[in-house]
Amino acid sequence: MDISGSWHNQLLSTVIIDADGKGGLTSTIVCASGKFAGCQFPLAGCYDPSPRAPATALAFVVDWANQDVNGHSVTAWSGQYDEQAETIVATWILTTETGVGPTDEWHSSLIGQDTFRRDAVSTRMTIGPARRSAS
């Protein structure tokens, strides 16, 4: 099982994962859409180094800030790498700094799901992101 490599989601963003063999992940994400299109951000995460095949639990997080831009937000993905299907399916939560009062914090979160594949970037997947406000 090797989850290291270049992965693409349905929005054609690229995640380049380096698994250390001990449960640690380092990575870079390059956004292909939205206000951060073409921007690169570091990711960090972990995975189960001794999974019950063929699926491996994993999680990673990104701070949407680098030397050029600051989105004042973070996203965490949690899901599974399926070795047989060569996919990573992960639910994500995007949290932004809203500047609203503590009783309105629910405005700050979006929830969705990504499917990452190792296949060619030029192939768009038919599964779209599920985006909704947390309530």
Side-chain angles (χ1 to χ4, degrees):
M1 183 227 31
D2 186 11
I3 58 179
S4 293
S6 183
W7 297 83
H8 311 285
N9 71 3
Q10 66 276 1
L11 298 176
L12 304 181
S13 292
T14 302
V15 175
I16 301 166
I17 295 176
D18 182 21
D20 68 6
K22 300 175 187 172
L25 295 175
T26 54
S27 181
T28 302
I29 186 167
V30 180
C31 296
S33 62
K35 69 179 182 179
F36 295 136
C39 295
Q40 181 174 314
F41 302 91
L43 282 172
C46 57
Y47 68 100
D48 180 1
S50 302
R52 290 181 281 170
T56 303
L58 56 78
F60 46 89
V61 65
V62 64
D63 175 4
W64 297 107
N66 62 24
Q67 66 276 8
D68 300 319
V69 297
N70 188 340
H72 303 285
S73 59
V74 295
T75 300
W77 288 261
S78 182
Q80 293 189 63
Y81 162 61
D82 183 330
E83 185 176 21
Q84 292 176 339
E86 275 297 292
T87 59
I88 296 172
V89 177
T91 299
W92 53 261
I93 298 177
L94 167 71
T95 302
T96 61
E97 299 169 2
T98 61
V100 297
T103 59
D104 292 325
E105 287 180 356
W106 65 273
H107 288 286
S108 69
S109 296
L110 296 174
I111 300 170
Q113 188 175 67
D114 278 326
T115 300
F116 295 92
R117 299 187 188 273
R118 288 193 213 246
D119 46 4
V121 175
S122 62
T123 304
R124 276 199 184 262
M125 290 187 277
T126 58
I127 302 170
R131 294 183 182 192
R132 64 177 180 84
S133 294
S135 50

